[in-house]
Amino acid sequence: MRIGDPKIVAKLAELNVELQHAAALADLTSLGIGGTTDLLRIRQHEILPDLLNLLDANDVQYKFIGGGSNLLVGDGELPWVVLQLVRPEPDVVLDGNFARVDAAADLGRMITFCAKNDLGGMEGLIGVPGTVGGALRMNAGAYGMQIGSYVREVKLYRAASRKLETLRGDQISFEYRHTSFAPDDMMLSVILELPSKPFKLILEGIRICNEKRRSSQPLGQKSAGCIFKNPPGASAGRMIDELGLKGLSVGDARVSDRHANFFVNAGQASAKDMLRLIADVRERVHKNYGIELENEVVVWNA
Ligand code: EPU
């Protein structure tokens, strides 16, 4: 979608929003898949209500992107614009055991910055690509921990009230890869309370998690992490592997040889290829195990 109306363009400049015409979403997602649309980069949280009123008043549909690491975007010209927060400097401010973190901060860099200041707890998430906002909205987790356990306060743009709001951690429910945020809420910043731990000890935990991840996941390849959620008491990756589906391909979309719940873009995969592969694997698992796998990856299909 293109924003061409000079009145909207002028208003965006007034709101200090950077407008990038015809951005390729393939460049903004870890899968390297996705069509083109205008990208609106937001430098100040406070302008969000005005910005979204402007877009609504002009019938411009929009979606929010974080790090694009758990996202499968449709092909071709997309019917909505994409909003993204510009990362401020500094993006993490510490106060005792509390870390105030901007949603646009890189998750891994935030974990290492806190570690260097003897604040731990998040070691399991090292190596998970994406922003802190993205991790927060889906309650990212790994190796027995989840980000939600450390959340004390979240500042967000609430789609329902069309306002910026601040929620206490206990007003939010964090479940397995799911939170009580609405799909169109936009994470802005978070306060985490992290346990004190000597840097050396945190590093040891980080090293162990890195090794585990390296040995079981296709880290160097374009992927969106796990495609399906694990059903209660079962492992999607193990089931797909047991069915002998590693290497199964549609075009360049391919079930990883290393971890069967990772689907990789082995070259020029389209969203159509990836969606067909997902549907095919889901159907085979359903036929053989009677289990309907639920997507973990977020799909923006036009
Ligand atoms: N397994 C296989 N074959 C495979 C993959 C896995 O047999 O191809 C077996 C493993 O041997 C193991 C079991 O399945 O016995 C579980 O595998 P793994 O330990 O790799 O964990 P997972 O359940 O597949 C989950 C998360 C990952 C997270 C890891 C580590 C989900 C959907 N996935 O994977 O998160 O990194 O645990 O904690 O919850 C993600 O969210 O995108 C993600 C990758």
Side-chain angles (χ1 to χ4, degrees):
M1 170 168 226
R2 297 288 176 276
I3 296 185
D5 183 339
K7 271 188 259 157
I8 306 179
V9 173
K11 185 75 189 162
L12 289 175
E14 234 175 77
L15 294 172
N16 198 17
V17 171
E18 178 194 334
L19 173 58
Q20 279 182 20
H21 284 297
L25 288 213
D27 297 338
L28 296 180
T29 58
S30 56
L31 260 176
I33 294 177
T36 47
T37 189
D38 282 358
L39 177 68
L40 275 55
R41 304 196 75 234
I42 296 150
R43 297 190 181 94
Q44 288 140 323
H45 298 163
E46 293 65 31
I47 59 96
L48 273 166
D50 284 349
L51 172 62
L52 298 179
N53 284 337
L54 173 74
L55 298 180
D56 284 343
N58 290 281
D59 288 325
V60 178
Q61 308 287 312
Y62 48 83
K63 292 184 182 292
F64 303 122
I65 199 168
S69 57
N70 191 43
L71 190 59
L72 171 56
V73 182
D75 304 312
E77 182 60 33
L78 302 164
W80 18 259
V81 298
V82 170
L83 313 186
Q84 186 181 44
L85 298 175
V86 171
R87 191 177 68 82
E89 200 61 72
D91 54 4
V92 185
V93 176
L94 301 180
D95 179 10
N97 286 75
F98 296 95
R100 178 184 287 278
V101 190
D102 192 89
D106 177 79
L107 180 63
R109 289 169 68 108
M110 181 276 282
I111 295 170
T112 19
F113 177 81
C114 291
K116 283 179 186 159
N117 288 278
D118 299 320
L119 294 176
M122 304 272 291
E123 294 87 325
L125 283 175
I126 201 77
V128 174
T131 60
V132 170
L136 181 65
R137 75 150 313 119
M138 64 164 304
N139 191 21
Y143 305 116
M145 59 76 58
Q146 52 180 30
I147 190 169
S149 316
Y150 300 102
V151 172
R152 296 296 168 258
E153 193 181 289
V154 174
K155 195 173 124 199
L156 73 164
Y157 169 78
R158 239 336 89 117
S161 66
R162 305 182 146 265
K163 283 190 190 132
L164 303 188
E165 287 186 20
T166 301
L167 299 178
R168 289 192 316 274
D170 62 8
Q171 293 175 294
I172 307 159
S173 86
F174 291 101
E175 291 145 50
Y176 168 64
R177 300 295 195 275
H178 185 263
T179 60
S180 50
F181 298 119
D184 45 1
D185 285 344
M186 189 173 190
M187 306 296 109
L188 300 177
S189 64
V190 58
I191 296 179
L192 302 168
E193 185 179 3
L194 300 172
S196 299
K197 217 172 172 181
F199 180 44
K200 263 192 163 170
L201 222 62
I202 304 175
L203 263 191
E204 184 56 20
I206 285 178
R207 205 183 49 77
I208 293 168
C209 290
N210 268 336
E211 259 168 36
K212 280 193 201 164
R213 207 178 283 284
R214 255 199 301 274
S215 66
S216 63
Q217 301 182 359
L219 299 188
Q221 287 177 282
K222 290 181 183 170
S223 85
C226 285
I227 286 286
F228 300 111
K229 291 184 186 178
N230 284 334
S235 159
R238 183 182 290 145
M239 287 189 285
I240 300 167
D241 193 358
E242 280 173 0
L243 291 175
L245 301 181
K246 280 182 170 170
L248 182 73
S249 303
V250 176
D252 279 338
R254 182 183 166 91
V255 177
S256 160
D257 293 318
R258 185 165 276 241
H259 193 301
N261 197 11
F262 279 64
F263 294 9
V264 300
N265 172 6
Q268 300 297 318
S270 64
K272 205 168 157 209
D273 297 334
M274 195 53 84
L275 287 166
R276 276 179 51 202
L277 185 63
I278 293 172
D280 187 5
V281 170
R282 178 183 283 116
E283 199 181 309
R284 291 181 198 229
V285 168
H286 187 245
K287 204 164 134 208
N288 287 277
Y289 293 90
I291 291 175
E292 189 74 37
L293 290 177
E294 198 186 319
N295 279 0
E296 207 233 85
V297 65
V298 174
V299 179
W300 289 355
N301 203 16

